[in-house]
Amino acid sequence: MGTLQRAGAETRLRVTNDETSVDYDDAAAVGALRMVRADGAWSVVDGGVEGGVFHEGCRIGRLALRPGRPVRLAAGAPDGPTLLFEVLPVVPEPTPGDTVPAAVQPAAVRPATVRPASASAAVQTIGRGAGNTLVLDDPLVSRHHAAVDLTTPPVLRDLDSFNGTFVNGERVTAAELAKGDQVVVGAQTLEWDGRRLAPPRRTARRMLVADGLSTVTPDLVRLLDGVSLELEAGSLTAIIGPSGAGKTTLLNALTGLVPAGRGRVLWNGHDLYRHYEELRFQIGVVPQEEILHPQLTVRDALRYAARLRLPPDTTRAEQQRRVDQVVAQLGLDAQRDLRIGRQLSGGQRKRVSIATELLTAPPLLFLDEPTSGLDPGLDRSVTEQLRGLADDDRVVVVVTHSVLALDLCDQVVVLGKGGRALYVGPPEELLAHFEVRDYPALFQQLDSARPRPRSAGTTDTGSLPAVPRSVVPPQRPSRWRQLGTLVARDVAVARADRALMAMLVLLPLALAGLSRVVQGDAGFSLHLTREGRFLDGSEVTQRLTILVVAAALMGAAMTIRELVKERGILRREYAVGLSPGPYLMSKVIVLGGACFLQGLLLTWLATTGLPGPDRDGVHGWGWWEIALPVAALATAMAVVGLAASACLRSADHAMPVLVALVMVQLVLSGAIVGVAGRPLLEQVAWLAPSRWAYAASAASVHLGRTRRGVEDAVRDPLQAFDAGQWNTDLLAIVAIAALAAGLGLVAVRRSARSVR
């Protein structure tokens, strides 16, 4: 039995099941509040507290406490000083062969095993592999993650792990350990007990705490107003409210994507904003927009996601096992070989999005409008799935407009206009709190912006210290490994995209056919051997102009929508470690390479059966001297299209931008409008890849010759019949493509880092 005497601020009182004593902080007396242990369980008893003891507004005389379920009581009055009581489960000290209790394990991960170290062992190893001293079956842990040199003092070394090793919240490569130091590897928390790393003997139930979150925009619009929450592991929480109430803003603040201007978020006692790099892998986020490639099957989408998210030392067999686990967990076995976009329902696609996040077994899962657009039956089905995920010892938070399945939630958070928490509590008491009969009346009341008092637990943030707006950027894994995975994924997406494959084949055929409507049979030759005279070059000019415009159109059309339509995928993958560089480069390699082949095919179709350049061109390569600049132009315009796509706000803007890009290339190419020797216009034209592609092709056919055949009269120096000039023209196209790629990388990074 223990007695608590306390007044003023909230006291947090924690007891354990194997003790008959009570640890507490005390101040002035408020009366006798007794802690009684009987039949192996604790109860709190009102022993004469003046004014009584209240739980959720009801006066109590005796209240049983359950391990891992904190209880907040008010002393003296329903709104009096609060006291938080918590019974902690006891974790016995592990012995050789013991398993770590589920309370310290991330959800859906099998327990860790502690192997005995030999008496002569000088190193304790930690990792996913079976040969380690401490084996952690966690997908975020590397096979050989870290090691402790059992010297004096002991030194912890990170073994170049994928997700890093953290000591007391700081990422380290090597650090001396002191007794009580907290070490985090993957989603596992270990403690140095003076002899070895092991799970903490006593661990409170995991808790996500939001403390006074407030956000105000630069133009003084309040988005969040002092929101405070306590979310236990194993709970499902719904956030509802009218449009513009700050639901998504709160979700972004809870996940660390956009930290609140004031306040803090704690996960297991760690500040999320300050330790974001350490904790980001424990957070799963399913945004409202689709984060899947609709062309892929469920199996392929999850397989590529596993390659990007799991440690690089994870074998293909281990990746496949993890994919199979989440497929079975989400009930997608029958759909694993179906195309996501064409063969799955809306609810099934949402489950695939959730499965993607579950690959790393995050103990925190956040979803933004997961049932948006679903019928009532699918709405409840998805919520039931989330209920099951929460019961697997996760914190699951759902932002929703739907109220059809609120009864499955443990608590509901109602936000009003201005981001103020008007209610935090169980769903069965929600309507009574607002004194309404049904949910339509509730939302009508919320839309009218009638002020309501805050529920217990919310706080005023006026005295809270400001939180830095920036968080530690995540460390990116191997860029070469990412590039290989992304290239393979883009190839799979392209092969499965019927519209894209049709464009790849039909565009060169159609555009080459247009070049065949040019009158004449001289082809790309300026010399008529029978008559012994030179032509005026009009036929060659028309053919080259069509080729240049066709190449510019093909390249830009292939990529103008590519990045804007994948923006949601990019942002989510960037948050879990994807580097923008490999992402953009994979698009350049796959789509740019396809456009290069299109350019070669286009030129071959347009020139076959026609005379080639006189004397086979400046290098003697014949039609290749026309094909290479045309193919390089198509590739350069593909890169320009990617850069433009990264800057677009929506895919609806793609077609006007495509038309503008092609028209600019036509005008600045020098084919129909002379640009040589015209100040400013000539310099601007240097930035157009079509200018150099047309010049290289014109140089090969020696288009600058006069009708008399005098070869020293060149109208445009970039078209000089010279091998060096042809090489310069081709290199200029490559340089412009590189410049466009650099600008595209800046735009991709900005797009990845922005939340909306």
Side-chain angles (χ1 to χ4, degrees):
M1 178 179 67
T3 302
L4 175 67
Q5 295 181 334
R6 176 69 169 157
E10 177 182 281
T11 295
R12 291 179 179 267
L13 177 62
R14 291 183 172 91
V15 296
T16 58
N17 277 336
D18 67 340
E19 295 180 352
T20 55
S21 61
V22 181
D23 298 323
Y24 60 90
D25 297 328
D26 61 350
V30 297
L33 188 60
R34 301 165 54 196
M35 293 289 298
V36 178
R37 180 176 169 83
D39 298 327
W42 284 96
S43 297
V44 60
V45 179
D46 181 1
V49 175
E50 183 179 354
V53 180
F54 296 83
H55 174 56
E56 296 182 351
C58 299
R59 185 165 182 170
I60 59 127
R62 185 186 186 100
L63 182 66
L65 302 177
R66 291 182 295 167
R69 295 288 182 179
V71 173
R72 178 177 280 102
L73 303 179
D79 58 350
T82 56
L83 308 107
L84 181 68
F85 294 85
E86 185 174 5
V87 178
L88 307 181
V90 176
V91 180
E93 184 173 357
T95 59
D98 281 350
T99 59
V100 180
V104 299
Q105 294 298 319
V109 179
R110 292 190 296 275
T113 57
V114 182
R115 301 180 182 276
S118 64
S120 59
V123 176
Q124 180 189 18
T125 58
I126 304 100
R128 198 181 69 252
N132 290 285
T133 310
L134 182 60
V135 180
L136 304 173
D137 194 359
D138 181 339
L140 292 177
V141 174
S142 297
R143 189 175 303 280
H144 301 286
H145 198 105
V148 180
D149 295 327
L150 302 178
T151 57
T152 305
V155 176
L156 173 70
R157 291 181 292 105
D158 180 72
L159 301 180
D160 196 24
S161 63
F162 177 62
N163 294 323
T165 302
F166 300 82
V167 178
N168 298 327
E170 298 294 332
R171 184 165 186 156
V172 299
T173 54
E176 294 182 2
L177 294 177
K179 188 173 182 179
D181 281 349
Q182 298 286 313
V183 177
V184 174
V185 290
Q188 309 276 347
T189 298
L190 307 171
E191 184 177 305
W192 178 253
D193 62 6
R195 296 182 298 113
R196 62 179 177 177
L197 280 176
R201 293 193 62 226
R202 293 175 183 155
T203 306
R205 189 167 182 82
R206 294 180 298 168
M207 182 85 71
L208 180 70
V209 178
D211 185 9
L213 301 181
S214 293
T215 296
V216 180
T217 65
D219 53 354
L220 302 182
V221 175
R222 184 169 293 276
L223 302 180
L224 290 179
D225 185 7
V227 177
S228 293
L229 305 170
E230 289 187 358
L231 311 177
E232 289 184 335
S235 66
L236 173 60
T237 300
I239 301 175
I240 66 173
S243 299
K247 300 184 296 297
T248 300
T249 303
L250 176 58
L251 189 73
N252 291 333
L254 291 174
T255 59
L257 291 176
V258 181
R262 299 179 72 84
R264 57 181 181 167
V265 177
L266 304 177
W267 169 239
N268 279 349
H270 296 277
D271 191 313
L272 174 62
Y273 298 164
R274 298 185 184 278
H275 301 155
Y276 183 74
E277 185 184 7
E278 171 188 351
L279 301 175
R280 67 186 174 95
F281 293 106
Q282 301 185 40
I283 301 172
V285 180
V286 181
Q288 184 175 357
E289 65 267 23
E290 293 287 349
I291 55 172
L292 304 166
H293 289 90
Q295 302 89 345
L296 297 179
T297 64
V298 173
R299 185 199 305 270
D300 288 340
L302 293 177
R303 181 162 53 90
Y304 288 120
R307 291 185 191 179
L308 290 173
R309 299 187 182 208
L310 297 181
D313 59 5
T314 307
T315 65
R316 293 295 172 86
E318 289 175 319
Q319 293 171 4
Q320 189 58 52
R321 281 198 300 271
R322 188 61 193 153
V323 169
D324 292 340
Q325 288 173 4
V326 298
V327 165
Q329 188 176 8
L330 272 298
L332 292 167
D333 294 274
Q335 291 81 32
R336 67 173 62 212
D337 293 317
L338 300 183
R339 300 284 178 189
I340 294 173
R342 299 197 306 267
Q343 298 172 301
L344 295 187
S345 66
Q348 290 169 340
R349 288 198 299 272
K350 188 59 65 175
R351 295 215 305 269
V352 177
S353 296
I354 298 172
T356 303
E357 297 302 314
L358 293 183
L359 287 169
T360 55
L364 298 170
L365 183 62
F366 299 86
L367 303 98
D368 191 0
E369 298 286 357
T371 60
S372 177
L374 302 183
D375 62 56
L378 289 176
D379 184 313
R380 189 165 185 87
S381 175
V382 171
T383 307
E384 288 174 347
Q385 196 83 54
L386 299 178
R387 176 72 266 174
L389 295 176
D391 291 339
D392 200 11
D393 205 36
R394 285 187 180 87
V395 174
V396 180
V397 180
V398 181
V399 170
T400 181
H401 280 99
S402 174
V403 296
L404 298 177
L406 289 184
D407 58 298
L408 298 175
C409 300
D410 295 293
Q411 68 175 343
V412 179
V413 178
V414 180
L415 293 183
K417 294 296 181 63
R420 188 177 183 184
L422 303 180
Y423 175 81
V424 179
E428 57 269 18
E429 300 177 12
L430 174 58
L431 297 180
H433 175 82
F434 286 93
E435 301 174 358
V436 293
R437 292 184 178 182
D438 50 31
Y439 288 110
L442 168 62
F443 277 89
Q444 187 176 26
Q445 184 181 112
L446 295 175
D447 283 329
S448 66
R450 287 172 52 189
R452 299 288 300 183
R454 299 184 191 178
S455 60
T458 58
T459 60
D460 190 342
T461 62
S463 60
L464 288 174
V467 176
R469 289 292 302 170
S470 61
V471 296
V472 179
Q475 179 169 320
R476 307 291 160 185
S478 168
R479 286 172 169 78
W480 290 110
R481 176 175 177 267
Q482 287 187 347
L483 180 61
T485 299
L486 292 169
V487 167
R489 185 177 72 178
D490 287 341
V491 170
V493 169
R495 291 176 58 187
D497 191 333
R498 296 176 180 176
L500 181 63
M501 294 303 296
M503 286 182 61
L504 283 172
V505 176
L506 297 180
L507 268 181
L509 294 175
L511 296 174
L514 291 178
S515 71
R516 291 289 188 169
V517 303
V518 176
Q519 290 183 333
D521 56 3
F524 296 88
S525 173
L526 295 177
H527 184 258
L528 291 180
T529 46
R530 291 188 205 172
E531 303 176 9
R533 64 182 178 86
F534 289 100
L535 302 176
D536 61 2
S538 59
E539 179 183 343
V540 175
T541 299
Q542 292 175 28
R543 294 186 185 277
L544 292 182
T545 301
I546 292 176
L547 286 178
V548 167
V549 174
L553 175 61
M554 285 192 308
M558 288 291 293
T559 60
I560 192 65
R561 298 181 68 253
E562 186 66 21
L563 298 189
V564 66
K565 72 180 182 182
E566 290 190 4
R567 185 159 294 160
I569 299 174
L570 170 64
R571 286 169 176 166
R572 183 58 199 141
E573 292 183 342
Y574 175 79
V576 294
L578 177 67
S579 296
Y583 176 79
L584 179 62
M585 186 54 62
S586 70
K587 301 293 184 184
V588 172
I589 292 174
V590 175
L591 297 178
C595 290
F596 187 85
L597 295 177
Q598 277 187 312
L600 295 180
L601 178 60
L602 168 70
T603 309
W604 180 78
L605 292 173
T607 59
T608 186
L610 294 174
D614 296 328
R615 292 187 290 181
D616 281 339
V618 295
H619 286 291
W621 297 346
W623 78 277
W624 281 100
E625 290 190 14
I626 300 175
L628 289 177
V630 170
L633 172 61
T635 303
M637 286 304 297
V639 180
V640 171
L642 288 172
S645 182
C647 298
L648 295 178
R649 291 186 175 271
S650 73
D652 296 336
H653 301 156
M655 292 309 298
V657 173
L658 173 63
V659 173
L661 286 176
V662 175
M663 287 301 299
V664 167
Q665 299 307 311
L666 173 61
V667 172
L668 297 183
S669 65
I672 60 175
V673 176
V675 296
R678 300 178 65 177
L680 186 60
L681 181 61
E682 182 177 22
Q683 285 69 45
V684 171
W686 289 345
L687 297 177
S690 62
R691 170 82 168 100
W692 302 93
Y694 181 78
S697 301
S700 293
V701 300
H702 205 178
L703 192 60
R705 285 182 293 183
T706 64
R707 295 180 181 179
R708 298 187 305 274
V710 180
E711 299 187 4
D712 59 349
V714 179
R715 292 189 293 256
D716 188 339
L718 300 186
Q719 301 176 9
F721 189 75
D722 178 76
Q725 183 59 54
W726 187 92
N727 294 340
T728 300
D729 293 340
L730 194 63
L731 289 175
I733 302 174
V734 176
I736 294 173
L739 176 62
L743 296 176
L745 180 59
V746 173
V748 168
R749 282 177 176 164
R750 183 180 302 172
S751 178
R753 292 170 180 170
S754 63
V755 179
R756 285 288 182 270

